[in-house]
Amino acid sequence: MYQLYYHPLNASMAPHFILEALQVDFELTLVDRNSKAQKSPSYLALNPAGRIPTLIDDGFAIFESAAICIHLAESHPTSNLMPPISDKNRALFFQWLMYLTNTLQAELMIYCYPEKYTTEINSVSGILAAQETRITEILTLLDHELESKSFLVGETISVCDYFLFMLAVWADELKKPPLSFKNLSRYLRQLAQHKAIIRVCQKEGLNLADYH
């Protein structure tokens, strides 16, 4: 049985989607961010970065959300959640997953926690404005990529789609949120009908009404 250390609507959401999609046995262990439980000695022994999530697979600890998703997909190859080595889409899979985690997620982290990226409190509003512009550019690129496509890579749902859905949730308070883009909105509304996403959102307390 897998064990996922998580916090609702945190970076653990994507691995949670994958575990539900795989229909495997797993246990959720809540990490209380409000009390900084991710910085406790017991948690740091599993994840020295002190961040969420962490996956335990047969006593083996793995951290970083994208890495966990890849590990789960490769451990269950018949799930088709990532293209096999022989498939040319495999390179595109890694391209888009790296873009999501290294670019969109990184920019969203600055947007969500601007005070951590400056020593001047008066500059926070400027950081937020800059991030609004930067993230809108990224979402515009993704919206263009999803024109006439149901999935980011290939013809079936993959880790990339679950990962992008998580990041879209984080971005829903932007002045121009993901659901305001034509293709991205269609894509996200279709994803919101998948059973794994519905189950996770129910468990993590996210109302999907806006996606209907």
Side-chain angles (χ1 to χ4, degrees):
M1 178 185 292
Y2 295 108
Q3 182 180 13
L4 179 67
Y5 286 82
Y6 87 112
H7 186 88
L9 310 183
N10 204 267
S12 50
M13 197 176 197
H16 194 179
F17 285 145
I18 302 304
L19 288 166
E20 286 284 359
L22 292 173
Q23 298 183 324
V24 294
D25 290 332
F26 68 94
E27 174 185 310
L28 289 174
T29 299
L30 179 66
V31 181
D32 184 6
R33 290 185 62 205
N34 297 327
S35 63
K36 298 188 183 300
Q38 73 274 22
K39 303 299 183 182
S40 68
S42 59
Y43 189 79
L44 289 172
L46 299 173
N47 181 343
R51 301 196 299 187
I52 305 166
T54 300
L55 180 78
I56 306 299
D57 178 1
D58 194 25
F60 180 64
I62 309 165
F63 62 92
E64 288 298 319
S65 184
I68 292 171
C69 291
I70 292 171
H71 172 71
L72 288 170
E74 288 194 324
S75 297
H76 301 270
T78 58
S79 68
N80 296 317
L81 288 175
M82 63 182 293
I85 293 177
S86 58
D87 192 327
K88 64 181 181 181
N89 280 328
R90 188 174 176 89
L92 293 177
F93 169 89
F94 284 114
Q95 168 193 285
W96 285 114
L97 187 58
M98 295 307 103
Y99 183 77
L100 293 176
T101 189
N102 292 345
T103 303
L104 179 54
Q105 183 175 1
E107 300 291 353
L108 280 168
M109 291 299 290
I110 299 173
Y111 174 80
C112 293
Y113 305 101
E115 68 282 356
K116 293 184 178 181
Y117 295 87
T118 180
T119 57
E120 299 292 336
I121 191 65
N122 293 333
S123 66
V124 168
S125 60
I127 293 174
L128 286 171
Q131 290 310 108
E132 284 270 2
T133 299
R134 176 64 181 136
I135 295 167
T136 298
E137 292 172 352
I138 295 168
L139 295 178
T140 300
L141 182 153
L142 289 165
D143 185 67
H144 178 74
E145 178 65 25
L146 288 164
E147 185 175 359
S148 302
K149 293 175 65 175
S150 296
F151 304 104
L152 195 52
V153 179
E155 302 300 322
T156 58
I157 194 168
S158 76
V159 164
C160 289
D161 301 302
Y162 287 117
F163 209 92
L164 178 49
F165 194 92
M166 174 185 75
L167 298 181
V169 169
W170 295 4
D172 65 1
E173 294 185 2
L174 289 166
K175 293 178 183 177
K176 189 174 175 58
L179 286 175
S180 68
F181 291 82
K182 179 182 177 181
N183 299 316
L184 195 50
S185 175
R186 168 189 50 77
Y187 163 85
L188 293 170
R189 293 179 196 279
Q190 290 175 348
L191 290 181
Q193 298 176 34
H194 283 256
K195 292 181 180 179
I197 288 180
I198 293 172
R199 287 195 295 266
V200 169
C201 290
Q202 288 173 341
K203 291 181 180 180
E204 300 200 11
L206 177 66
N207 190 328
L208 287 172
D210 291 342
Y211 294 87
H212 296 157

